[in-house]
Amino acid sequence: MKAIVQDAYGSADLLRLRDIDRPVPRDDEVLVEIRAAGLGPEVWHLMTGRPLVARAVLGIRRPRNPVRGWDGAGRVAAVGAKVTGFEPGDEVFGNCEGSFAEYACAKAAKVALKPVDLTFEQAAALPVSGMTALQALSGPARPRPGQRVLVIGASGGVGCYAVQLAAVYGAEVTGVCGPGGADFVGSLGATHVLDYTREDITDGPRRYDIIVDNAGQRPLPVLRRALTPRGTLVIVGGEGGTAFLGGLSRGLRAVLLSPLVGQNLRNLVSVARREDLLTLKELVEKGSLTVPVDRTYPLAETAQAVRHLEKGHPRGKLVITVP
């Protein structure tokens, strides 16, 4: 089978389309014939091996799994001996490590039946980013009707779902995005849109009950100034920081500070789980959630797609298609 393989950490230049052996599912896995795979910042971190602390899981010197890709959609080709609830031919979506390939294995507990009305391309754009947004707006960060929610990075993969979910929950949503993104973010349900090149989140008297900072770099004191005295901050990912911890250092500082202040400061590490996929599926099928796809690339052009991710600001998700 054909797959996008990377034998060493580094740039998109190291991605190669190769013929490799088809994977064999373990007892608790399904083999998925991939039709499309989502591409987001999580793939960039896998590719570069940054922050360095992540290599404890990814592989110290080189990627433990050289096939790139993290989430996908396709048809079940085979099931493991202990798998129930799926059979060959089922159309599924979810967390499929190594999804930039014609076939990938996935834990049965991390995939679900594809939403009925979604294309494979749309379904592949939903799992990781959708689950992250759903988990960011849960627990004490679950908005109540009328609360003010600020979503930083509102036009990106996670942000576009966070805006929609907050609006579904009845919140007054403000989205932060770059120039030219206001109409898109507004179409997702944001009442207000801030252009980060012209406005700061602390400008004016408005303060927010919940802030979701998606892959941002704003210092913690700035985020706290934009938050109400009893508000909740959720840091999702993040760039910059040290080579070892990367953006995680800001999230760790938030967690350590939280018990000492009145605000609830959280750092989110999302987890792939079927119950969240089922929630997303239900929201999509009810028409409460849409799946924005910025553009698609064929498997052979994955390196170009990664370069676009690095240089641009996709509106929604990028998707790799597998013929």
Side-chain angles (χ1 to χ4, degrees):
M1 72 169 192
K2 295 188 181 301
I4 295 296
V5 176
Q6 181 189 19
D7 295 318
Y9 294 117
S11 70
D13 296 333
L14 297 176
L15 299 176
R16 297 287 185 269
L17 183 65
R18 292 183 187 170
D19 286 313
I20 64 173
D21 293 335
R22 182 186 298 185
V24 177
R26 297 176 180 174
D27 286 351
D28 61 344
E29 294 180 336
V30 295
L31 177 67
V32 180
E33 181 186 1
I34 299 293
R35 295 293 302 277
L39 170 60
E42 69 282 350
V43 174
W44 182 87
H45 286 290
L46 289 170
M47 185 183 73
T48 59
R50 296 295 182 95
L52 295 177
V53 67
R55 297 193 185 189
V57 176
L58 304 177
I60 301 298
R61 297 184 180 276
R62 61 181 60 86
R64 186 171 287 119
N65 179 359
V67 183
R68 299 299 81 198
W70 196 246
D71 56 5
R75 290 190 176 92
V76 173
V79 299
K82 297 181 180 179
V83 172
T84 59
F86 297 105
E87 59 184 30
D90 286 343
E91 296 183 350
V92 296
F93 76 120
N95 183 203
C96 308
E97 186 177 357
S99 59
F100 293 171
E102 292 178 326
Y103 292 86
C105 289
K107 296 285 188 183
K110 296 183 179 182
V111 295
L113 294 177
K114 180 176 74 67
V116 175
D117 294 328
L118 290 191
T119 65
F120 285 113
E121 290 78 11
Q122 291 172 313
L126 183 56
V128 170
S129 295
M131 285 189 287
T132 301
L134 193 65
Q135 292 169 28
L137 291 171
S138 64
R142 171 73 179 255
R144 297 190 300 274
Q147 284 192 312
R148 290 176 172 175
V149 175
L150 179 73
V151 178
I152 301 173
S155 63
V158 175
C160 71
Y161 295 120
V163 169
Q164 293 182 77
L165 288 170
V168 167
Y169 296 150
E172 177 187 316
V173 187
T174 298
V176 181
C177 62
D183 289 343
F184 172 67
V185 174
S187 72
L188 299 174
T191 305
H192 312 283
V193 182
L194 302 180
D195 178 347
Y196 68 80
T197 66
R198 298 190 307 167
E199 303 170 89
D200 189 82
I201 61 173
T202 58
D203 290 345
R206 183 181 286 114
R207 294 296 176 261
Y208 302 94
D209 302 291
I210 299 165
I211 297 177
V212 177
D213 184 13
N214 172 46
Q217 301 187 47
R218 288 172 178 78
L220 192 56
V222 172
L223 295 170
R224 291 189 59 215
R225 283 202 299 273
L227 200 61
T228 59
R230 294 289 177 180
T232 298
L233 166 67
V234 184
I235 295 177
V236 181
E239 309 303 330
T242 65
F244 183 72
L245 287 176
L248 293 174
S249 58
R250 191 172 56 124
L252 289 174
R253 289 197 301 273
V255 171
L256 293 174
L257 179 62
S258 186
L260 307 177
V261 297
Q263 296 162 328
N264 183 6
L265 311 177
R266 301 172 55 200
N267 180 63
L268 177 68
V269 178
S270 62
V271 179
R273 52 197 184 198
R274 185 188 295 170
E275 54 263 41
D276 286 343
L277 291 171
L278 294 175
T279 298
L280 294 170
K281 172 181 165 70
E282 180 182 2
L283 289 169
V284 167
E285 292 179 341
K286 287 168 56 180
S288 301
L289 194 68
T290 62
V291 182
V293 175
D294 180 80
R295 65 180 69 178
T296 62
Y297 292 82
L299 185 64
E301 297 179 11
T302 299
Q304 292 93 310
V306 173
R307 294 187 187 101
H308 176 66
L309 176 71
E310 293 174 330
K311 295 179 181 179
H313 296 278
R315 297 179 183 181
K317 289 278 286 193
L318 301 176
V319 173
I320 305 300
T321 60
V322 184

